[in-house]
Amino acid sequence: MTASRQTAQTSVIVIGGGVAGMSAACALAQSGLEVHLVERRGYLGGRASSYIHSGVNEVIDNCQHVLFGCCTNLIGFYQRIGALDRIHWSDEMTMIEPGGRCSVLGPFGIGPFVLPAPFHGLPRLVAAHAFSLEDKLSLARAFRAMLRPVPPDSRETLAAWLARHRQSPGAVERFWKLVIASALNAEIDSIAVPYAAKVIRELFMNSAQAGRMGINAVPLSDLYSGVEALLSNHGSSLHLNSNVERIGWDEEVSEWVVTTRTGTLVSDYLLLALPFEAMGKLLPRMPPADGAEALASQIARHEHWPICSAHLWFDREIADLDHAVMLDREVHWLFNRGRLQPWRKTKGSYIEVEVSASRVYAARERNEAIALTLRELAEFFPAAASAKLEKAALVKEVRATFGVPPGIDAARPTAQSPWPNCFLAGDWTATGWPSTMESAARSGHLAAEAVCKSIGEPRGILDPDLKPRGLMRVFG
Ligand SMILES: Cc1cc2nc3c(=O)[nH]c(=O)nc-3n(C[C@H](O)[C@H](O)[C@H](O)COP(=O)(O)OP(=O)(O)OC[C@H]3O[C@@H](n4cnc5c(N)ncnc54)[C@H](O)[C@@H]3O)c2cc1C
């Protein structure tokens, strides 16, 4: 691969084929730039991808990824690449207790009429067996407090906020830790309140539409099959298996020169869509620039949190639910992949069990982790105890997400980089969202806007947020 400048079209090299890089590359190609999307792996998706696991000879996602209706930029990106019809949407979240008793959260309505926000979820919360009266009263108190916007610069941790709002042990364990802290993938004493408030408002208060949960009905990397076609239809290109080794700025002709394992590319603009640790590794190989040191110290403030998933194939169906939140145990989420992906024609069942933000689980040895998962699964779904486990895979992603402790916003750079004609994207940059695919897609769209503005052709690429509905319009 050696590409020299062949056209007068403005060109940009996007490094990193995760959601951030893909969304930036697609938006820029559609805006008329010549884009080269460069990814070190042989497939797209980064931390949200799928691959053949050789141990079980199955295509698996590196972990179930869920999105919500409020993820407007991710949805916009899926729409542009023709992937939106491969998302399965659900309005309900089932909470299951050891023993199998279920409570269902979600909007309440009769026919097409749903109660106005923020009351749409209230009847089902009131009816939930999973919470005692004391838990429900403390959750009502917390939700009422969250009606008032939390100052974005608040230095309070979620743990301190919960104590200040007298949350009952049941509400803390079964709601705040399991639903909210697991969505933010960190422990409650490491979460800044504004991020928790964002999740609560988007998922439970703003509107029923914002809180709908989306699950991919095909392997994650298959979602991105439209990216290469979109790029080539716009005179752009995708370069897989191309680890970037060196980056130079040619001052004389104002061009970036990017050397990968497979060749050299040149362009007018550079867009770095890397996770923070990869960006940190690349820094010493970038040209010197004022502000590079400040960026290095921002990167140094970030911390990883793990997510683990056990993929289990049984000889029979063990759960008659598509997905569930499992209460009071080390395991957290169940996804019935065989049911959610019927094209797999799984004999028996394929279940994925997810454990968020647990460094204890992540440190467990494989057989011990699988045995514990099976033991706990059987407490919720007794059929798992008598079913035969045909095969199993354990995926530990120790660098799954970055944490959002108080003060983290100061360590999230904007799209503007210290180098000329160079912009930054990635879920960890300044989007206001926690470490999610939506943050990645937003960062890609923000960086694409910055490139367009810089070439003197400003355009709106960021997809607008969903508007709060019902009474939430007053509290927005
Ligand atoms: C196990 C797990 C579960 C998750 N669950 C959810 C969820 O349910 N919902 C949700 O919204 N989010 C979830 N996330 C978070 C989500 O996956 C990330 O926030 C998002 O995918 C980050 O996208 P990104 O493009 O910013 O970074 P990445 O996905 O990390 O992409 C960066 C890309 O850059 C490439 N790269 C790195 N170095 C180089 C180099 N030198 N040269 C060329 N290419 C390079 C990498 O290979 C990678 O493809 C989860 C993450 C994990 C790991």
Side-chain angles (χ1 to χ4, degrees):
M1 167 188 73
T2 303
S4 55
R5 304 294 316 284
Q6 279 161 3
T7 62
Q9 210 179 356
T10 304
S11 59
V12 55
I13 298 170
V14 177
I15 302 179
V19 172
M22 289 188 288
S23 52
C26 290
L28 287 169
Q30 287 183 318
S31 303
L33 281 83
E34 179 192 326
V35 180
H36 302 285
L37 175 59
V38 178
E39 164 56 41
R40 98 185 135 86
R41 288 178 173 156
Y43 52 89
L44 290 170
R47 274 171 283 158
S49 58
S50 52
Y51 57 92
I52 294 190
H53 190 292
S54 54
V56 287
N57 198 27
E58 299 267 0
V59 177
I60 62 167
D61 290 346
N62 64 334
C63 182
Q64 176 69 65
H65 275 61
V66 300
L67 66 143
F68 292 90
C70 53
C71 298
T72 51
N73 282 269
L74 183 66
I75 291 170
F77 165 61
Y78 285 166
Q79 203 152 24
R80 272 168 228 131
I81 59 167
L84 200 52
D85 61 355
R86 284 173 255 167
I87 302 296
H88 166 89
W89 291 98
S90 165
D91 289 316
E92 295 182 342
M93 184 187 288
T94 303
M95 305 184 105
I96 182 163
E97 296 164 75
R101 189 167 67 162
C102 290
S103 307
V104 179
L105 301 187
F108 176 81
I110 297 168
F113 302 105
V114 173
L115 282 182
F119 303 114
H120 55 285
L122 197 61
R124 283 179 145 178
L125 182 65
V126 169
H129 302 296
F131 300 110
S132 67
L133 180 61
E134 187 196 5
D135 300 339
K136 289 170 189 170
L137 290 174
S138 60
L139 286 173
R141 209 165 38 243
F143 276 51
R144 199 184 58 200
M146 292 267 177
L147 279 174
R148 287 186 299 278
V150 175
D153 56 351
S154 160
R155 307 282 302 186
E156 194 171 20
T157 65
L158 177 58
W161 190 94
L162 296 177
R164 193 156 64 78
H165 290 82
R166 293 173 289 114
Q167 293 297 287
S168 65
V172 171
E173 290 301 321
R174 292 185 160 188
F175 184 78
W176 293 103
K177 284 192 181 171
L178 205 46
V179 181
I180 303 306
S182 116
L184 291 165
N185 199 38
E187 282 163 11
I188 54 173
D189 54 6
S190 298
I191 292 173
V193 175
Y195 282 94
K198 181 163 194 60
V199 174
I200 286 285
R201 288 171 72 99
E202 294 288 2
L203 268 48
F204 295 96
M205 297 169 83
N206 276 352
S207 69
Q209 191 193 352
R212 297 180 78 199
M213 185 164 84
I215 296 178
N216 49 301
V218 297
L220 279 168
S221 293
D222 288 9
L223 285 179
Y224 319 126
S225 57
V227 170
E228 188 165 12
L230 185 148
L231 292 179
S232 80
N233 288 342
H234 288 83
S236 295
S237 55
L238 170 64
H239 307 264
L240 296 175
N241 297 307
S242 301
N243 187 47
V244 169
E245 286 165 357
R246 252 194 338 275
I247 298 182
W249 169 246
D250 188 336
E251 183 78 57
E252 229 163 84
V253 284
S254 292
E255 274 182 357
W256 284 100
V257 182
V258 171
T259 310
T260 74
R261 213 170 47 194
T262 49
T264 301
L265 288 164
V266 292
S267 65
D268 305 302
Y269 282 83
L270 183 66
L271 200 158
L272 300 166
L274 298 168
F276 71 86
E277 73 280 1
M279 187 63 223
K281 268 196 208 147
L282 199 65
L283 272 180
R285 285 176 277 155
M286 291 291 288
D290 287 349
E293 240 174 71
L295 179 59
S297 24
Q298 283 183 307
I299 291 171
R301 287 181 57 188
H302 284 279
E303 183 191 19
H304 286 114
W305 284 86
I307 300 180
C308 300
S309 52
H311 300 248
L312 309 166
W313 284 263
F314 293 99
D315 66 344
R316 68 198 74 163
E317 196 62 79
I318 63 139
D320 59 358
L321 293 168
D322 286 351
H323 46 82
V325 184
M326 295 179 281
L327 302 174
D328 306 338
R329 292 294 179 270
E330 210 169 314
V331 296
H332 296 150
W333 295 79
L334 168 130
F335 295 96
N336 197 336
R337 306 302 297 256
R339 275 166 61 122
L340 290 162
Q341 301 187 336
W343 53 267
R344 284 183 183 267
K345 298 194 173 31
T346 312
K347 282 203 202 99
S349 58
Y350 166 24
I351 300 289
E352 183 182 329
V353 174
E354 190 184 320
V355 184
S356 302
S358 172
R359 290 178 170 141
V360 173
Y361 188 93
R364 289 188 188 283
E365 183 270 320
R366 179 190 180 278
N367 290 346
E368 180 200 350
I370 300 276
L372 173 117
T373 306
L374 290 171
R375 232 176 20 249
E376 293 197 346
L377 195 58
E379 292 187 63
F380 300 95
F381 304 98
S386 51
K388 181 174 170 230
L389 182 69
E390 305 274 12
K391 53 187 176 181
L394 181 70
V395 180
K396 292 181 185 178
E397 290 275 4
V398 289
R399 292 173 164 184
T401 60
F402 63 87
V404 285
I408 195 65
D409 286 347
R412 299 184 74 180
T414 64
Q416 204 67 47
S417 87
W419 300 276
N421 294 6
C422 175
F423 295 91
L424 303 177
D427 61 352
W428 64 285
T429 59
T431 63
W433 280 67
S435 185
T436 52
M437 297 183 288
E438 171 62 13
S439 182
R442 252 167 211 256
S443 76
H445 291 163
L446 286 167
E449 280 187 356
V451 172
C452 291
K453 189 169 172 210
S454 166
I455 60 175
E457 292 174 19
R459 60 182 78 217
I461 293 173
L462 198 69
D463 292 292
D465 289 341
L466 285 185
K467 289 203 167 36
R469 298 261 178 90
L471 289 182
M472 287 307 285
R473 281 180 286 208
V474 181
F475 295 108

